[in-house]
Amino acid sequence: MKYVSTRGGMSPQPFCDILLEGLAPDGGLAVPETIPRVSAATLEQWRSLTYAELATEILSLFIDDISRDELATLTNAAYSREAFPGEPMVPLKPLSNEISLLGLSEGPTLAFKDMAMQLLGQVFEYELERRGTTLNILGATSGDTGSAAEYAMRGKRGVTVFMLSPQGRMSAFQRAQMYSLQDENIHNIAIEGVFDDCQDIVKALSGDLEFKTAWRLGAVNSINWARIAAQVVYYFWGWLRATPAGGSEVSFCVPSGNFGNILAGHIAREMGLPVRRLVLATNENNVLEEFFRTGVYRPRSAAQTHATSSPSMDISKASNFERFVFDLVGRDPAKLSSLWKQLETQGYFDLADRKAEFEERYGFVSGTSSHADRLATIKRVHQESGVLIDPHTADGVKVAAQYLEEGVPMLVLETALPVKFAETIREAVGVEPPVPEHLAGLADLPQRVVKMACDAEQVRQYIRDHAPLPESEAP
Ligand SMILES: *Cc1c(COP(=O)(O)O)cnc(C)c1O
């Protein structure tokens, strides 16, 4: 299995060569040359597998430069009882006769990003060791991504993490989660500024090619293909748990931001998983809902992006969307490139003439949810089923209700646990969300964080002072 760029300017590369890279050299995103197919008979054979075993089967379709045995070792380490203490792992939690949650948030940071990051931590360590080199991950976070990355990379050989976060802008729970890590290879840097300031510093330092190369800077952002591949696994898992032997169709509803989570659902469907609909849910930042409703994709500016009570879905443009559009235009890199050129010059593109295919060919439908919808949904679900859901999952449950069909189970992806967003839960139902047992003492742990002015040069110096380099590559 080789990978090419959506924009056509990259010679085919094996998985491990795209693993540690961000964008393809031509500015596009890496995609598999062909999408592997899974037969109905194979699907049936997968019913008895554990999560780690299923991950090995599916990932080996996308990765042929790590042996199957080694891949099994990596998935076992990633999807261990230690990281995912719930029993069973990735459970289905019924809310009603029609709707169940797919429990993706039982990992170390209580959000679905752990599902992919835990694997990434294992694969990064493996590949860096094989190459005899190291990587310094520089990132910016407003909460979920940074903590998932830190918990995945903590203690991993060859990896050091420098994570910028906006001082005083994360919830107390999120701060405690990140800053309480005492691992030597994890550096939390609290910047005097907002998330965009942190992001700008990352761009400035990663854009300095000389510095980036000398200090082996890398990223674990949402366009990383390994994260998408890891996410494909839980669509299969959810389908296998929700259907009887012989199978039938299932719909998935996905609270969406950067289009990474639901893109994995699209890949699973293209692989042959019997998925009826992929329901895309957005909050007030509805750039994706607008596309699936009208065919027009019009990214917004930071100033046009609302700060909402489902903050991990507050996006202005959807970084993974390019991979879906690549399929939509028949995997034609020239067509794809001209659309993205038009985005640059005109700020939008219009695929209204393909609109019929969105649902008929690809199963996509969409809807939006507001702050009032989230509160009402959290309250209603709590009253009717006794289950507390987080605000992002609530966006999903709200939109899923618009697309229920007789005889088709609807699985809503649970993207975080309510304790991460306690303020909104209190507003909705007036109760304190439960803290999982193993995190009970989190707020009292000592915190390890460096405060810094909003200044790229100070961050640059901090990296110079704290990043290990392989002897042979010391500048
Ligand atoms: C990241 C995140 C999302 C959005 O997922 P995408 O892959 O960016 O579409 C939704 N909910 C939560 C809680 C998240 O952390």
Side-chain angles (χ1 to χ4, degrees):
M1 172 66 74
K2 295 280 196 297
Y3 290 81
V4 293
S5 166
T6 48
R7 310 226 185 141
M10 178 174 89
S11 61
Q13 312 259 329
F15 173 84
C16 287
D17 284 356
I18 61 151
L19 171 68
L20 304 171
E21 300 298 328
L23 289 176
D26 61 356
L29 303 186
V31 286
E33 252 179 341
T34 56
I35 306 228
R37 296 281 304 179
V38 173
S39 70
T42 303
L43 261 180
E44 287 307 315
Q45 284 169 7
W46 286 353
R47 283 194 184 274
S48 59
L49 302 185
T50 64
Y51 194 89
E53 287 167 346
L54 183 66
T56 306
E57 293 298 329
I58 293 172
L59 290 169
S60 66
L61 302 173
F62 291 101
I63 305 172
D64 55 14
D65 50 347
I66 299 176
S67 79
R68 211 190 148 78
D69 280 357
E70 285 166 314
L71 204 51
T73 305
L74 298 175
T75 58
N76 270 313
Y79 301 115
S80 65
R81 278 272 153 258
E82 198 192 354
F84 297 90
E87 178 66 57
M89 197 179 150
V90 191
L92 282 195
K93 309 185 213 174
L95 296 185
S96 65
N97 286 339
E98 300 95 1
I99 300 186
S100 297
L101 300 181
L102 182 60
L104 303 174
S105 299
E106 322 267 316
T109 73
L110 314 183
F112 86 96
K113 292 192 172 69
D114 289 328
M115 298 301 304
M117 284 292 190
Q118 286 293 315
L119 181 82
L120 212 62
Q122 299 296 335
V123 181
F124 268 41
E125 182 177 57
Y126 168 86
E127 184 59 17
L128 290 169
E129 194 154 320
R130 182 155 79 168
R131 292 177 182 215
T133 186
T134 61
L135 188 69
N136 295 303
I137 292 171
L138 174 63
T141 189
S142 52
D144 288 343
T145 310
S147 58
E150 291 187 353
Y151 278 76
M153 302 298 168
R154 61 187 298 199
K156 295 286 182 298
R157 287 182 304 276
V159 188
T160 304
V161 177
F162 298 89
M163 191 59 67
L164 312 186
S165 52
Q167 235 174 77
R169 304 250 169 185
M170 295 192 301
S171 71
F173 187 86
Q174 287 175 316
R175 284 200 304 273
Q177 233 180 8
M178 286 180 60
Y179 301 166
S180 63
L181 289 179
Q182 302 294 331
D183 306 76
E184 266 179 36
N185 70 328
I186 304 294
H187 298 270
N188 281 303
I189 304 175
I191 297 287
E192 282 170 25
V194 296
F195 171 69
D196 284 324
D197 297 320
C198 299
Q199 188 71 35
D200 286 345
I201 295 175
V202 171
K203 279 189 195 149
L205 297 183
S206 316
D208 177 346
L209 280 189
E210 203 177 317
F211 183 73
K212 179 177 184 224
T213 310
W215 291 92
R216 299 203 47 77
L217 293 191
V220 288
N221 44 32
S222 67
I223 58 162
N224 186 293
W225 172 261
R227 283 179 65 181
I228 305 295
Q231 289 170 185
V232 169
V233 177
Y234 53 69
Y235 285 89
F236 281 85
W237 178 263
W239 183 89
L240 290 165
R241 302 283 84 78
T243 57
S248 58
E249 284 188 323
V250 166
S251 289
F252 290 93
C253 180
V254 188
S256 292
N258 272 318
F259 204 80
N261 199 351
I262 202 165
L263 175 76
H266 161 70
I267 304 283
R269 194 173 185 274
E270 291 295 294
M271 290 169 76
L273 188 69
V275 176
R276 164 120 178 99
R277 276 171 168 165
L278 290 165
V279 183
L280 180 139
T282 70
N283 63 19
E284 290 87 337
N285 297 295
N286 66 334
V287 48
L288 288 169
E289 180 271 336
E290 184 175 85
F291 173 78
F292 284 103
R293 181 167 40 84
T294 67
V296 175
Y297 179 58
R298 192 188 300 274
R300 318 232 165 117
S301 65
Q304 292 169 312
T305 305
H306 309 276
T308 75
S309 50
S310 47
S312 298
M313 294 157 65
D314 292 349
I315 52 103
S316 48
K317 60 178 195 314
S319 50
N320 266 297
F321 186 54
E322 181 170 337
R323 288 184 166 122
F324 172 68
V325 176
F326 182 63
D327 285 348
L328 197 60
V329 298
R331 308 197 117 221
D332 177 346
K335 269 191 200 150
L336 191 281
S337 302
S338 84
L339 289 175
W340 255 258
K341 177 101 351 184
Q342 194 194 337
L343 269 188
E344 256 170 52
T345 54
Q346 286 168 271
Y348 78 99
F349 61 69
D350 185 346
L351 291 176
D353 58 335
R354 312 296 295 274
K355 241 194 78 182
E357 286 169 61
F358 300 169
E359 182 172 1
E360 280 163 30
R361 164 71 182 82
Y362 295 100
F364 271 92
V365 291
S366 67
T368 65
S369 164
S370 66
H371 180 68
D373 290 328
R374 282 188 279 288
L375 296 182
T377 305
I378 292 168
K379 190 166 174 186
R380 184 178 57 74
V381 168
H382 188 237
Q383 277 169 350
E384 288 174 4
S385 64
V387 178
L388 263 186
I389 55 175
D390 101 289
H392 305 79
T393 308
D395 288 331
V397 172
K398 189 265 172 178
V399 174
Q402 295 166 227
Y403 292 105
L404 297 179
E405 292 167 289
E406 184 86 26
V408 183
M410 173 69 78
L411 304 190
V412 177
L413 275 51
E414 184 178 39
T415 56
L417 291 193
V419 68
K420 295 197 88 168
F421 303 96
E423 196 180 309
T424 305
I425 303 302
R426 280 194 295 268
E427 190 181 345
V429 288
V431 303
E432 215 41 62
V435 180
E437 219 171 285
H438 64 287
L439 295 177
L442 187 69
D444 304 321
L445 293 178
Q447 299 191 358
R448 183 167 167 265
V449 57
V450 177
K451 293 191 175 159
M452 214 171 274
C454 184
D455 176 4
E457 291 318 303
Q458 286 188 37
V459 178
R460 188 197 300 268
Q461 193 54 46
Y462 186 89
I463 293 172
R464 284 201 183 104
D465 293 343
H466 294 88
L469 273 179
E471 308 268 299
S472 59
E473 295 184 25

